[in-house]
Structure formats: structure tokens, C-alpha cells
Amino acid sequence: MKNAIRLLTILIMAFLVGCQGKKPQPPEPSDLGLLRGEITLCGSGEFGEVSFALSCNVDARSTFDLAISLLHSFEYTEAEKAFVKVLDIDPKCAMAYWGVAMSNYHSLWLQSGTAYLEKGTKVLKLAKSISTNERENAYIKALSAFYDNWKNITHQERVQRFEREMYKVYKTYTKDEEAAIFYALALRATADPSDKTYAVQRKSGEILESIYPNQPNHPGIAHYIIHNYDYPGLAELALPTARLYAQIAPASAHAQHMPSHIFTRLGLWDESISSNINSTASARCYSKSIAPLAHWDEELHGMDYLVYAYLQKGDLNKANEQYEYLKTFKKVFPINFKVAYSAAAIPARIALESRNWEAAATLKKPKLELSWSLMPWQESILIYARAMGSVRLGHITDSKKEMEKLVANRKKLMNAEDNYQANQVNIQIKTIKAWIALAEDDQIMAIELMREAAEMEYNTNKHPVTPGEVIPAGELLGDMLLQTNQPKEALAAYEYDLKQHPNRFNGVYGAATAAKNSGNEKLAASYYFQLMKLGLNSDRPEVAIAKEYLKKKNNI
């Protein structure tokens, strides 16, 4: 009996030692939740030209290149499906798993939830277990720096870790232009929103521009150049690229839309409108194939830019058409910050830019399946509009109640350590405080607060999700100075803001009015003429005022 027990003990110990010696097994592909299905390509199906050196099965390479092209235009869902098709052809293609992880890492904005982190971690673990190529190992190691230990390291720290590792790939494989492109994107993601020198963006842009002549039809190069130069003072650098990107990847809704970032920066409203009409049409094509009863987030994103451009041409009818269309939406996908931002910004922009204070004061949340409590910045846009509408109507108590909600949302964002969005809400709070102070006859405090809000806004870069602030604080400063009979100071405020936001309808009209009230009739005529060109087909009363002024001065 003792011998039997001893033998059993030896066998158990041997089994345990054997188990301890084994490496943890990577998850099987069936455990990963990979996206599968036919790749949906709208229009021509063209996404640009990419050639990624790959050690995987020759038959998989054209599909892999398509996946990379989709990835470079942020068509993340279809990119993952394409990478999975590569795995169906070659299950040992480690870089296809890397591609899945890249498709789940949306580098230029913070995603919600943790599912994408869990998935990325799993697929990279599997990629490491099967990869034998030194260069491909370097790519996998670099991306793992973002996913590793994600529970204990902040998002921004992991973004910076990825950039450092991707830099090593870029410097080691100097002839690998894809390494340069992905490094430039990783670098761009580390940019500090408060850095007005744009040092990171310029460096990233220079890398991309250096290889652009070699690959003029590469979607990633064009796309990331636009993201790097989407700022006042830099936008002109990206204008030639912006006008080409839509031609490079005509099947991509995002590629059709992205040039409008630059068109918006430069006040080229007709080009922005054309860009986003094409983008929203492509987005509808995609949603009809994927979810016929729902609307894709890319469509709402394009609609927000469309509304912004229509408003700068004084075309309230076209802007309202987009809003009425938005009201018909019941379901959207994916439900994210981009959907929430557009759904809030579209009605807020229309009400505030048209000076319809009654509409602004009574704005309600769109009837979409959105968790507004999880999106305090986006919800604050509607709250801000109601607060502004209320105070401009003289309903000070109502405005103060709305402002309390803004304060609560800012606190949520600060607790979540989202400093950028907390700062955006703080600018709104200061703006409302300023107009409340003015309504309560404290003119000195009102102007001081409004100047502070404008300065804060000028020192903060806009988020890529938005074409611009719902109303620029600098423009509102001009409005306040004009209202308090300080036309020269108002003119200076408007003109400064127009350098940041060229060809804004209300800004141009404000500058014209301030110039006229200052006695500078020549400058007033120049601004009124600019307004007429902006609002050729507008029935806004400001255009009629401009025409009448110019008629009296014999300028038309």
C-alpha cells in the first residue's frame, strides 16, 4: 500500500513539474472574436496603392495590401475582416494578427471600454508565438508596447511607448517605407494639444513628405499629412494633398471627408461641401450593406462638417435639411464619441449661429441610443447652447441652472483625468459666466471673463472630431465688445479670430459692423463685400444689410 502511495505521489509530482515547464499556450483563433465576412467596398472599390513586404503565403499578399490600405484610411472594421481573410489563406501569417491589433487601435482618439485592449493583447500574443521573421517581430513588439499591461499604464503612456518602439523599427529598417509611415502616425498620436509650435506634427509631416514622391497614390501618406497640418498657419501646407486624397482612395468615406479638414481651416466652403456630400453618400452605401436600418458614424461626422460649411455660406435651409434628416435616425453604429459629438453639435450650431436664442434655449437630446452620461463633453455642447440661448433671452436663472450642469460635467472629466475635454467645458463655463455678468450689468467682469475664455481657446488645439468650435470664443468676444459700444476693440477681436477661422459668416459680418461703427467705411465695405460673396444665395438679413450698405456707397 505504501509503495502504491509513493508511486502515485511520484506521478503527481512529475505531472506538476511537467505542467510548470510548459509555456502558456496562446489562445486559439476561435477565442479571439475576429471579425469575419465579405469585405464591403463601395463605389469603385479603390483604396489606393500599398505594397507591404511580407513573409506570408504569396496568395495572401494582395489581400494583406488591401487590408493595409483600409487601415490607412481608418476603415477599421473592413481592415480587420481583410486581415482575417489573410489568416484563412495562411493561418501562420503572424502579421495578419498584428493587423487585427492595429485595426483595434484607433491611434488619434481615445476609445471607450476595454474590449479592444483585451482583443489586441490576445492576438499579439498569438502573433509572437508564430512569428519567425526578424522585421515582422519588430513590428509586433512595437505594437505590443501599446497593449502590454494596459490595466496599469495610462493610455497616453502606452501611446508614447508605441511611438518609441516604432521609432526603432523606422531607424532599423530604413528602406521600409511602411515603417516610416506607421512611425509618422505613431509620432502624431503623441502630440501635445497645448503645444502651439506643432513640433511633433511638423516632424511627422516632414517624414511623410520625404517619401510622398515615391508613393503618390499611398493613402496613408496623404491621410496623415492632412492630420499633421490640420491647424491655423499649417493648413496651407496640406492643401495640394487634400485635393488629391479623395482621388487616391475614392471608395473610402473617410478619405472623401478628410480633405474638408483643410478646406475648413482655410474657409473653402464649396470644396468642403463637395467633399462631405461625397463622403456621406459613401457612408450611406456602406451602412446599407452592413446594417440597412442604421447609420454609420462616418455619415454623422460628415454631416457635422456639412452643416458647418453651409452655415458659413449663410445657407440655413441646407443646414436645416441636414438636421431634419438627423432627426429621422433611430440607430447608429458604432455608438461612440464621434456619433455623440455630431448629434449634439449639429442642432447647437444651427441655433447659435443663426442667433435663434429661443431654439437654443430649448434644445433637447437627439432620440438616438446614446449613453450621454458617459459622454459629458458631448452632452455639454447641448447644455452650453441652452445656457447661451437662455442668457441672451434674459432668462438668467435658467442659464445659471444649465451652467451648474456644465460644472458637474467638467468635474466628471477631471475625475476621469481627461484634461483636454475638461478644458473644453471650462471654456464654455467661462463664456456663460461672462454673458451672465453682462446681463447683470457687470460689464468689466463680463469682458474680462470673455477675454479669458478666448485666450484659453486660442491656446488649445481643436479635436479632430470637430470642424470648429460651436461658436469661437474670440468671435463671441467681438460680439460682446460690439454690444457694449466698443467698436474698435470689437474689430480687433473679430479680425484676430478671422485669422484662426477664415471666412466665418458671423465673424465677417461682425468685422464689417465694427468697422462701420468705428468710422472706417473703406474697411467696412471690404468686409461687407466679402460677406456678399460668402452668402450669394443666402436669405439671411445680414446679407441684405451688406447689399444696402454697398449700394449706398456705390461699391456695386
Side-chain angles (χ1 to χ4, degrees):
M1 183 67 177
K2 288 183 180 180
N3 289 337
I5 292 173
R6 188 180 295 115
L7 179 60
L8 180 61
T9 302
I10 291 169
L11 290 171
I12 291 171
M13 291 298 294
F15 174 77
L16 290 173
V17 170
C19 286
Q20 290 172 358
K22 288 183 180 179
K23 292 182 179 180
Q25 292 300 305
E28 293 298 316
S30 59
D31 300 331
L32 301 177
L34 302 177
L35 297 180
R36 294 183 174 276
E38 289 303 313
I39 304 167
T40 301
L41 307 178
C42 286
S44 64
E46 295 177 37
F47 284 88
E49 296 177 8
V50 168
S51 180
F52 193 102
L54 194 65
S55 66
C56 303
N57 190 311
V58 173
D59 295 335
R61 291 180 188 176
S62 62
T63 304
F64 190 92
D65 284 345
L66 171 61
I68 292 289
S69 295
L70 290 161
L71 185 60
H72 279 311
S73 283
F74 293 175
E75 305 280 350
Y76 294 117
T77 298
E78 301 311 304
E80 180 173 337
K81 285 157 65 175
F83 284 121
V84 173
K85 280 194 176 292
V86 171
L87 289 169
D88 290 340
I89 299 168
D90 182 359
K92 294 294 185 181
C93 183
M95 284 301 284
Y97 287 112
W98 166 88
V100 171
M102 278 298 296
S103 301
N104 281 269
Y105 168 44
H106 303 173
S107 56
L108 297 187
W109 50 78
L110 180 62
Q111 295 146 268
S112 59
T114 61
Y116 76 101
L117 293 166
E118 294 168 3
K119 186 175 188 176
T121 303
K122 288 178 182 178
V123 295
L124 287 172
K125 184 177 182 181
L126 187 51
K128 289 175 187 175
S129 73
I130 60 178
S131 177
T132 57
N133 180 284
E134 186 177 336
R135 168 179 160 271
E136 293 172 6
N137 276 334
Y139 272 89
I140 293 165
K141 180 185 177 184
L143 185 54
S144 295
F146 172 77
Y147 283 100
D148 285 350
N149 199 20
W150 59 265
K151 290 182 181 179
N152 301 310
I153 302 175
T154 67
H155 174 85
Q156 195 56 33
E157 286 178 293
R158 289 182 286 109
V159 166
Q160 291 167 348
R161 286 172 54 180
F162 176 43
E163 181 269 328
R164 289 193 293 269
E165 289 299 320
M166 207 53 227
Y167 176 74
K168 294 177 185 177
V169 182
Y170 164 59
K171 296 303 287 185
T172 302
Y173 300 95
T174 55
K175 293 184 179 179
D176 181 359
E177 292 188 341
E178 282 298 321
I181 295 164
F182 278 113
Y183 170 63
L185 176 61
L187 178 63
R188 170 63 183 82
T190 68
D192 180 354
S194 64
D195 178 16
K196 286 295 186 174
T197 69
Y198 309 116
V200 166
Q201 293 92 327
R202 288 178 183 276
K203 181 180 176 182
S204 176
E206 287 169 4
I207 293 169
L208 295 163
E209 287 174 335
S210 71
I211 56 179
Y212 181 67
N214 300 334
Q215 297 193 65
N217 293 316
H218 192 290
I221 298 174
H223 187 184
Y224 308 146
I225 284 175
I226 293 171
H227 271 296
N228 277 307
Y229 297 149
D230 184 15
Y231 303 96
L234 298 184
E236 197 74 43
L237 297 172
L239 185 57
T241 307
R243 287 173 169 157
L244 288 173
Y245 182 32
Q247 299 172 34
I248 292 171
S252 168
H254 192 69
Q256 296 300 311
H257 156 76
M258 198 63 212
S260 69
H261 281 238
I262 301 303
F263 301 149
T264 299
R265 285 294 190 184
L266 298 174
L268 302 173
W269 307 124
D270 288 331
E271 288 186 80
S272 180
I273 288 167
S274 177
S275 176
N276 285 295
I277 285 174
N278 292 337
S279 175
T280 52
S282 182
R284 284 192 294 274
C285 164
Y286 180 74
S287 60
K288 284 178 183 176
S289 302
I290 300 298
L293 299 179
H295 296 264
W296 188 25
D297 66 350
E298 198 67 32
E299 182 181 7
L300 282 91
H301 187 50
M303 287 168 63
D304 185 26
Y305 276 71
L306 262 180
V307 166
Y308 190 90
Y310 284 136
L311 289 171
Q312 307 327 313
K313 289 172 66 67
D315 196 339
L316 291 176
N317 293 328
K318 290 286 188 183
N320 276 309
E321 282 178 13
Q322 294 296 314
Y323 183 30
E324 291 303 315
Y325 175 50
L326 174 63
K327 289 178 183 178
T328 68
F329 291 15
K330 297 293 186 294
K331 293 184 178 181
V332 292
F333 72 96
I335 295 174
N336 58 23
F337 78 100
K338 188 159 59 172
V339 166
Y341 186 92
S342 302
I346 287 171
R349 290 189 200 286
I350 294 171
L352 293 176
E353 293 234 28
S354 64
R355 317 293 175 90
N356 188 340
W357 308 125
E358 187 68 41
T362 55
L363 280 178
K364 292 182 171 56
K365 294 172 186 173
K367 295 179 180 178
L368 291 172
E369 297 174 357
L370 293 171
S371 299
W372 291 100
S373 62
L374 301 178
M375 300 177 184
W377 176 39
Q378 291 84 344
E379 182 189 41
S380 292
I381 294 168
L382 292 167
I383 298 170
Y384 170 69
R386 290 198 296 269
M388 181 62 77
S390 296
V391 72
R392 300 299 281 270
L393 289 170
H395 303 161
I396 299 173
T397 301
D398 291 342
S399 186
K400 287 181 177 180
K401 287 179 181 177
E402 296 296 341
M403 191 175 67
E404 288 173 6
K405 297 175 187 175
L406 291 176
V407 171
N409 274 353
R410 178 172 179 258
K411 186 175 180 180
K412 281 185 187 178
L413 290 163
M414 290 176 68
N415 289 340
E417 298 184 355
D418 194 327
N419 296 328
Y420 178 86
Q421 294 189 19
N423 183 60
Q424 294 296 301
V425 178
N426 198 26
I427 293 168
Q428 295 172 339
I429 292 168
K430 279 191 178 291
T431 300
I432 297 304
K433 282 184 176 179
W435 285 92
I436 288 174
L438 187 65
E440 293 179 335
D441 296 323
D442 192 343
Q443 182 176 312
I444 293 174
M445 178 59 71
I447 292 172
E448 182 182 332
L449 286 168
M450 201 60 247
R451 287 192 187 282
E452 286 178 11
E455 191 63 26
M456 286 171 65
E457 196 164 88
Y458 289 136
N459 288 325
T460 307
N461 293 321
K462 83 170 185 68
H463 193 285
V465 75
T466 170
E469 302 82 6
V470 176
I471 290 188
E475 188 175 282
L476 287 171
L477 172 62
D479 291 349
M480 183 175 284
L481 290 165
L482 198 58
Q483 189 170 317
T484 55
N485 198 29
Q486 301 179 65
K488 288 184 179 179
E489 292 83 354
L491 178 59
Y494 286 126
E495 290 193 316
Y496 185 81
D497 195 73
L498 284 168
K499 290 178 182 177
Q500 319 302 315
H501 307 94
N503 275 344
R504 271 189 54 83
F505 186 97
N506 288 337
V508 172
Y509 176 71
T513 306
K516 181 187 71 173
N517 293 356
S518 301
N520 192 335
E521 295 187 358
K522 184 177 180 181
L523 185 59
S526 174
Y527 278 120
Y528 277 131
F529 187 70
Q530 184 180 346
L531 188 74
M532 278 184 55
K533 288 197 297 182
L534 281 174
L536 282 175
N537 300 310
S538 173
D539 57 4
R540 282 188 63 168
E542 293 90 340
V543 176
I545 291 170
K547 287 179 180 178
E548 184 63 25
Y549 182 89
L550 291 170
K551 185 177 180 181
K552 285 181 179 178
K553 298 299 176 183
N554 298 316
N555 285 324
I556 59 170

